[in-house]
Amino acid sequence: MTRCARRPGATPLSLPRPSARRHIAGLVLLCCALGVSVPLHAQTAESMAAVRNFPETAMRGRLRVTYPPVVLMDGKPDRLSVGGLIRDTQGRAVLSATLAEQDLIVNYRRDGFGEIAEVWLLTPDEAALRPGRQRSLLESLFGS
């Protein structure tokens, strides 16, 4: 039983006409070219950005990973929280073990238990900037 009319001489799995194939190939090449050029442009624009925005509750410190999750923050023993996130200068997640025995200037945030929850490694430009005034808990809750 045939419900659809077929073109004369066409098989069920026939290829499109040569002109249609050229159009499809052109569209595929165009998509590939755009797909490659857009991420490259985004990377260069991102790398040109001088300073990232950090949370107002972020603090500045000097981090040294000794034996993960144990760290030294400003020379005092401290601990990374479970699921704590360390971001490099490009915003990518970094494993704490890869930073072992390096002195790094960072911005960091603590969780409710007082452990270090988030760490941002700073570029030399960001490290040269004076960190913003840290707001107290009451200021962050009620403004002012």
Side-chain angles (χ1 to χ4, degrees):
M1 180 154 125
T2 304
R3 295 182 183 219
C4 299
R6 290 189 182 154
R7 288 185 300 160
T11 61
L13 298 175
S14 64
L15 296 174
R17 294 185 198 138
S19 62
R21 278 186 264 170
R22 275 184 279 164
H23 284 71
I24 292 171
L27 285 174
V28 168
L29 287 174
L30 179 66
C31 290
C32 289
L34 288 176
V36 170
S37 66
V38 171
L40 290 177
H41 174 69
Q43 289 173 357
T44 56
E46 181 182 48
S47 64
M48 290 173 58
V51 180
R52 295 174 283 173
N53 291 322
F54 300 105
E56 292 183 12
T57 57
M59 298 176 279
R60 176 76 50 94
R62 185 173 295 275
L63 175 76
R64 184 176 184 91
V65 179
T66 53
Y67 188 75
V70 178
V71 298
L72 295 176
M73 184 60 74
D74 296 325
K76 300 174 188 167
D78 215 329
R79 187 173 182 87
L80 293 172
S81 68
V82 175
L85 186 62
I86 300 175
R87 294 197 179 274
D88 68 2
T89 56
Q90 296 174 343
R92 297 176 297 202
V94 178
L95 296 175
S96 59
T98 62
L99 304 173
E101 303 305 323
Q102 296 180 40
D103 284 322
L104 304 162
I105 297 176
V106 298
N107 280 353
Y108 66 98
R109 209 169 54 86
R110 294 187 179 273
D111 63 7
F113 297 107
E115 294 179 333
I116 300 169
E118 289 181 281
V119 176
W120 295 272
L121 304 180
L122 300 179
T123 64
D125 293 336
E126 292 169 339
L129 293 175
R130 188 168 89 47
R133 185 176 80 83
Q134 300 302 316
R135 296 170 23 152
S136 70
L137 179 61
L138 290 175
E139 287 176 333
S140 61
L141 289 176
F142 300 110
S144 108

